[in-house]
C-alpha cells in the first residue's frame, strides 16, 4: 500500500542533515551549558551560536531570543508572562481572536478564570482578523494583544504589521504566534512591529520539543518556569543543546529553500484544488488563496448538498495509506467541530466534514492524484448526496 503523508502542519519528519549535526551534542559534546568547565563551555558555545543564527533570521538581536520547549511554551510565556506582569500595574484586559491555536486560547481562558477579561475578535469569512476590530477592542486597561501570524488550520495570513502599528500607537504589548509562519513566509520582528513572537522547530524538519520566543528589549514578562538561572534568568531548565543546534540548522535550511519550495507547493496546491473542484462540486474551500500560505489546503463538504462525516473520511483515507488531519477533534466519543471553521461562518454539519491537507518537501503531484482517486471512491461510498 502507498504511504502518503499530508499532515506537515501537524509535524514534519526530522531532516537527516539536522539529525547529523545534533548527534555529536548527545554523544561527545554532552556538557551542561551552565557548567564552567570545558565540557560546559563547548555546549554553551554551540547554544549561543544557534541562538545568534536563528535570531538573525527573524531580525532579532541574540539577547532578545530565548529557547523554550516549543510553540506551546512560547505562547504560555508570552501571554501569561505579559498578563501577570501587567496585573501588578492594574491592567487586566487582553485582545485576541477566535481562531487562535489552543495554546493561546487556553492561556486566555486560564487568565479569565483568574480575574482577566478577554476580548475574542471575530474574523471575516476568509479567516482574517481586521486591524480596525483590534483598535476598536482596545480599552484603558488593555495590557496585551495576541494575534497569530498564520492560522494552522486554514493557512490564512493575518495583517500583523498593521495590527502591530496599532499596538505600538496605543503602547500595548503585541504578541504573535508565528509557529506556522516561520520558515514559510519571511519574518522580521522590526517590520512586523511585534514585541513577542513564538516559533517551533518541529514544523520545519527540526526536532520536537524545542521552540523559541522573541522578547523585544525592554518588555517585561513574569517568569513561568522557575528554577535555575538559565536563559538569562528568564526560563529555568538545563538547556537542550542538541535540539538548539538542530533547530538552527533546520531554520537555516527552511529560509534558504523557502522561495523555491513555496512556488513548488503553490503549483501543487492549485492543481489539486482545480481537480477537487472538478470531482467534488459540493466542496467548499476554507480560507482565501491570496492571503494564505501555500502548504495548507482546508476543505469542507457543503452540508446542504452532501452528508458526510469528516472523521469517517479521514479514517478511510488512513486505511488507504493517506494521512491528513480532520478539522475537528474527537472528545469522549463525540466530534467537536473546529472553532476556526465555525468562526469563518460554516454551519455545524459542514464544519464536521472538514479535512486539512498540508504539504511538504516529500509531496509530489502523483501523491495528490492517488489521494483524489481514493477520495472519490470513499466519498461515493460513505457520502449521501442530498
Ligand atoms: C499555530 C500553532 N501554535 C502553536 C503550536 C504549538 O507548538 P508546539 O507543538 O511546538 O508546542 C502549534 C502546533 O501545532 C501551532 O500550529
Amino acid at each position: 500500500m502507498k504511504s502518503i503523508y499530508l499532515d506537515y502542519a501537524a509535524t514534519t519528519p526530522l531532516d537527516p542533515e539536522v539529525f547529523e549535526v545534533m548527534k555529536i551534542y548527545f554523544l561527545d559534546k554532552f556538557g551542561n551549558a551552565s557548567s564552567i568547565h570545558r565540557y560546559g563551555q563547548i555546549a554553551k558555545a554551540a547554544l549561543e551560536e544557534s541562538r545568534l543564527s536563528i535570531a538573525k533570521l527573524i531580525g532579532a538581536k541574540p539577547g532578545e531570543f530565548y529557547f523554550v520547549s516549543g510553540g506551546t511554551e512560547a505562547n504560555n510565556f508570552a501571554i501569561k508572562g505579559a498578563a501577570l506582569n501587567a496585573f501588578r500595574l492594574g491592567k487586566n484586559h487582553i485582545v485576541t481572536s477566535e481562531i487562535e491555536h489552543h495554546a493561546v486560547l487556553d492561556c486566555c481562558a486560564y487568565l479569565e478564570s483568574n480575574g482577566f477579561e478577554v476580548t475574542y475578535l471575530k474574523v471575516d469569512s476568509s479567516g482574517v482578523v481586521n486591524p480596525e476590530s483590534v483598535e476598536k477592542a482596545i480599552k484603558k486597561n488593555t495590557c496585551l494583544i495576541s494575534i497569530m501570524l498564520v492560522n494552522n488550520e486554514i493557512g490564512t495570513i493575518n495583517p500583523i504589521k498593521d495590527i502591530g502599528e496599532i499596538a505600538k500607537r496605543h503602547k500595548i504589548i503585541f504578541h504573535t504566534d508565528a509557529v506556522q509562519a516561520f520558515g514559510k513566509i519571511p519574518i522580521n520582528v522590526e517590520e512586523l512591529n511585534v514585541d513577542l513572537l513564538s516559533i517551533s522547530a518541529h514544523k520545519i524538519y527540526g526536532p520536537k520539543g524545542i521552540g523559541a520566543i522573541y522578547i523585544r528589549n525592554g518588555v517585561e514578562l513574569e517568569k513561568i518556569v522557575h528554577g535555575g538561572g538559565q536563559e538569562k534568568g528568564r526560563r529555568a531548565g538545563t538547556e537542550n543543546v542538541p535540539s538548539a543546534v538542530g533547530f538552527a540548522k533546520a531554520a537555516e535550511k527552511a529560509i534558504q529553500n523557502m522561495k523555491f519550495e513555496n512556488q513548488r507547493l503553490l503549483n501543487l496546491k492549485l492543481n489539486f484544488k482545480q481537480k477537487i473542484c472538478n470531482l467534488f462540486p459540493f466542496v467548499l474551500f476554507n480560507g482565501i488563496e491570496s492571503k494564505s500560505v501555500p502548504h495548507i489546503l482546508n476543505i469542507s463538504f457543503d452540508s446542504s448538498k452532501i452528508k458526510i462525516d469528516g472523521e469517517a473520511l479521514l479514517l478511510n483515507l488512513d486505511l488507504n495509506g493517506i494521512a491528513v488531519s480532520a478539522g475537528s477533534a474527537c472528545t469522549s466519543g463525540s466530534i467537536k467541530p473546529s472553532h476556526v471553521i465555525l468562526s469563518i461562518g460554516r454551519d455545524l454539519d459542514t464544519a464536521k466534514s472538514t479535512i486539512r491537507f498540508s504539504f511538504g518537501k516529500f509531496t509530489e503531484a502523483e501523491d495528490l492524484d492517488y489521494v483524489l482517486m481514493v477520495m472519490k471512491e470513499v466519498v461515493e461510498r460513505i457520502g449521501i448526496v442530498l
Side-chain angles (χ1 to χ4, degrees):
M1 187 175 59
K2 273 184 183 278
S3 179
I4 295 172
Y5 185 76
L6 292 179
D7 205 10
Y8 288 87
T11 196
T12 56
L14 189 72
D15 182 326
E17 239 188 274
V18 170
F19 186 44
E20 213 41 57
V21 297
M22 290 172 70
K23 268 199 244 164
I24 196 162
Y25 293 96
F26 284 114
L27 303 171
D28 300 347
K29 301 182 179 180
F30 60 85
N32 184 325
S34 299
S35 300
I36 293 176
H37 51 64
R38 209 159 39 88
Y39 288 86
Q41 292 315 301
I42 291 171
K44 175 90 179 153
L47 183 74
E48 294 314 319
E49 208 178 294
S50 307
R51 189 191 312 280
L52 179 72
S53 134
I54 315 175
K56 215 164 142 192
L57 295 173
I58 59 167
K61 298 175 194 82
E64 298 176 312
F65 191 88
Y66 300 81
F67 286 111
V68 294
S69 66
T72 300
E73 191 189 323
N75 286 346
N76 271 261
F77 192 9
I79 294 165
K80 291 188 207 160
L84 294 177
N85 191 60
F87 200 62
R88 290 204 223 101
L89 310 170
K91 292 192 168 188
N92 68 341
H93 175 239
I94 297 167
V95 178
T96 188
S97 82
E98 285 185 354
I99 61 156
E100 299 297 312
H101 189 272
H102 281 292
V104 167
L105 293 177
D106 289 10
C107 285
C108 289
Y110 165 77
L111 289 167
E112 273 182 304
S113 65
N114 282 279
F116 281 82
E117 187 198 340
V118 182
T119 301
Y120 298 93
L121 297 174
K122 299 214 165 300
V123 291
D124 64 18
S125 59
S126 55
V128 176
V129 176
N130 181 347
E132 271 177 35
S133 72
V134 176
E135 185 143 34
K136 277 195 194 135
I138 292 172
K139 302 183 189 191
K140 267 204 193 111
N141 60 337
T142 304
C143 58
L144 175 71
I145 298 169
S146 179
I147 304 289
M148 72 200 316
L149 182 42
V150 169
N151 181 269
N152 50 300
E153 293 192 31
I154 58 176
T156 43
I157 305 170
N158 275 314
I160 293 304
K161 184 179 185 322
D162 299 347
I163 298 171
E165 262 166 29
I166 292 168
K168 210 173 186 178
R169 202 168 346 108
H170 289 267
K171 298 190 170 52
I172 296 168
I173 294 177
F174 180 37
H175 165 247
T176 192
D177 174 349
V179 167
Q180 291 288 345
F182 183 55
K184 317 285 175 180
I185 58 172
I187 293 180
N188 181 292
V189 290
E190 293 305 331
E191 279 170 24
L192 288 179
N193 298 312
V194 294
D195 300 305
L196 303 166
L197 179 137
S198 310
I199 56 176
S200 179
H202 75 102
K203 309 289 185 187
I204 54 164
Y205 309 94
K208 290 171 183 57
I210 190 156
I213 180 170
Y214 158 75
I215 307 176
R216 182 178 291 282
N217 269 338
V219 171
E220 297 287 337
L221 295 185
E222 188 71 24
K223 254 211 280 201
I224 302 300
V225 182
H226 297 87
Q230 293 91 348
E231 296 297 296
K232 291 205 292 176
R234 290 187 112 162
R235 194 270 183 184
T238 299
E239 300 90 339
N240 186 349
V241 178
S243 293
V245 170
F247 191 4
K249 183 73 182 169
E252 179 197 308
K253 286 190 76 172
I255 305 294
Q256 244 170 34
N257 301 335
M258 186 161 69
K259 212 167 164 197
F260 172 80
E261 187 61 357
N262 275 353
Q263 192 53 54
R264 193 184 75 85
L265 295 183
L266 182 64
N267 292 343
L268 282 180
K269 174 160 116 173
L270 293 179
N271 200 7
F272 187 50
K273 222 173 146 179
Q274 187 55 52
K275 288 179 179 168
I276 291 178
C277 281
N278 299 343
L279 280 175
F280 312 107
F282 31 73
V283 155
L284 302 168
F285 294 96
N286 299 314
I288 180 168
E289 198 55 64
S290 59
K291 289 181 192 156
S292 286
V293 284
H295 72 288
I296 296 178
L297 178 68
N298 189 301
I299 63 166
S300 299
F301 290 81
D302 185 345
S303 69
S304 67
K305 297 186 177 146
I306 183 168
K307 202 170 164 350
I308 189 162
D309 176 32
E311 211 67 19
L313 177 55
L314 183 137
L315 290 174
N316 274 279
L317 292 176
D318 187 39
L319 285 173
N320 286 280
I322 300 163
V324 295
S325 168
S328 54
C330 200
T331 13
S332 44
S334 67
I335 296 167
K336 205 168 161 267
S338 146
H339 64 287
V340 176
I341 306 300
L342 289 178
S343 183
I344 62 169
R346 302 289 185 219
D347 64 82
L348 208 62
D349 287 332
T350 300
K352 283 182 182 174
S353 71
T354 298
I355 294 283
R356 178 188 70 183
F357 301 96
S358 49
F359 316 118
K361 67 176 173 185
F362 298 111
T363 311
E364 299 291 347
E366 307 85 82
D367 300 338
L368 301 182
D369 286 340
Y370 173 72
V371 172
L372 289 167
M373 187 189 77
V374 172
M375 220 163 83
K376 186 168 184 311
E377 183 277 314
V378 175
V379 170
E380 280 171 4
R381 185 158 44 82
I382 68 169
I384 302 166
V385 179
L386 303 172

